[in-house]
Each structure stands twice: as structure tokens, then as C-alpha cells.
Amino acid sequence: MAFSRLFLLGLALGAAAPGCAAGAAPLPKLAGTTVLAGCRQGECRWLRIAAVDRVASVRQGELRRIRVREGSSFHPDGDTPTRAAAARIAWQKGERAEYAFCSTARPAYAFPGDGGRLLIHYLDLFDLGGYQYASAGLYMRLCHGRDGLPPARVLRALGYRSGTRSEQVEARGPEAMTRF
């Protein structure tokens, strides 16, 4: 069976493909929590997490899916909260999926964009663009259970190196994150 069919089967079943060391990493216990995804120009984006699942594993890493309900809060005074309890969050209807490709070779985070396509942020965790900080924080939470981006020495200890792919691209599906 071709990789794409295996991937789609894993995506449909929410299962991980066997044989990947990254698959042994535990999933963070985030279901039922609300996290601050990032703030910009007086508006904060929040995610209420329903579930975190393994989708597929390849030699270079593991694809994880997070099912969330998105919300936003406004803070024109610039006093942005750090906890959901301190914010008046307007929640959107329904859930959506976001993805992290947990890989030291090509870390990436993806979320829905316009027109049904995914926006993928490939992350050089040592040299992020301003637009990538929220994705990097969510990546660290999903892949390592950490709040925020750790110092460079910790990233190196986790196996990351500087100079990995760093850009934003659009794709039809999350499998694009696993292709090398």
C-alpha cells in the first residue's frame, strides 16, 4: 500500500503508523484545558482543547492532531491576560483541527487558512519570524508538553539544530508536513 493511502488510513482512524521512535513520546494531557495561543494588537486567540491524537509516524517524526474550539478576547488597554479565567472569551461554534509535526529534522505547525487549505509554519526554533511565535509555542506544548519556547541550550538537548526549514506554505492536507 502506498504511503499516502497508509497516511490517509491513519488519519481516518486517528492511529499512528508503527516503527517511529517519535511515536514513543507521550501525548500531553491537554484535553479539557484552555490555552492562550497568542496575542497581537490587543486581541488574544484562545484554544479550548478537546483532544490530542497521534495521526501518523514516519522515520523523521510524528504527526499529531489537536481538536480545538477557537475563541478570542479583546484588550484595547494592552493589559493582556495570561489565564482564560481573566479574559472574556467569545467562542466560535464547532471544533477544528490543527496539527504539529513533531520532528527535530523539520518541526512544523499547521492550522486552517482560507479556502479550506492549511497554513503550515515550518519552524527553525532558533530563528523564528514574528508570525511564527504562536505556532512555535503550540508546537512545544503538543510535542514536548512545555509552555513557550525554551532557551537554545534546552532545544539542543532535545535534539534540535539551527538552520532547519523556516517558512509558511499552504497545503491541501497535513500529510504535506511529513514529506521530505
Side-chain angles (χ1 to χ4, degrees):
M1 196 181 282
F3 170 77
S4 61
R5 277 206 235 148
L6 278 175
F7 179 84
L8 291 174
L9 178 61
L11 187 60
L13 298 175
C20 178
L27 291 174
K29 296 183 186 322
L30 296 173
T33 64
T34 299
V35 298
L36 178 60
C39 297
R40 184 176 175 183
Q41 298 177 332
E43 181 179 2
C44 293
R45 178 176 170 250
W46 300 86
L47 299 177
R48 183 178 294 155
I49 301 170
V52 178
D53 305 302
R54 287 185 173 94
V55 176
S57 294
V58 296
R59 187 172 48 85
Q60 296 85 0
E62 179 178 81
L63 183 64
R64 294 179 175 185
R65 173 182 47 217
I66 181 172
R67 291 191 340 256
V68 299
R69 186 170 177 199
E70 186 177 21
S72 59
S73 61
F74 295 94
H75 311 279
D77 58 1
D79 189 19
T80 56
T82 57
R83 297 177 307 114
R88 296 174 83 170
I89 303 170
W91 294 102
Q92 294 181 0
K93 294 183 183 194
E95 288 182 359
R96 68 188 216 169
E98 298 189 4
Y99 301 87
F101 183 54
C102 302
S103 168
T104 56
R106 190 185 311 167
Y109 192 83
F111 52 93
D114 295 332
R117 296 176 70 86
L118 283 178
L119 289 178
I120 300 174
H121 286 176
Y122 291 102
L123 305 166
D124 178 346
L125 296 171
F126 294 87
D127 187 22
L128 295 169
Y131 68 95
Q132 296 174 316
Y133 277 94
S135 292
L138 290 166
Y139 173 89
M140 292 305 293
R141 189 177 298 264
L142 283 171
C143 297
H144 298 286
R146 295 176 171 265
D147 287 338
L149 195 64
R153 65 178 169 69
V154 174
L155 288 172
R156 283 190 290 278
L158 289 170
Y160 294 97
R161 60 180 173 72
S162 63
T164 59
R165 183 177 180 184
S166 179
E167 65 180 320
Q168 176 179 297
V169 299
E170 288 186 27
R172 290 197 186 278
E175 68 276 4
M177 300 165 74
T178 65
R179 292 189 197 123
F180 274 74

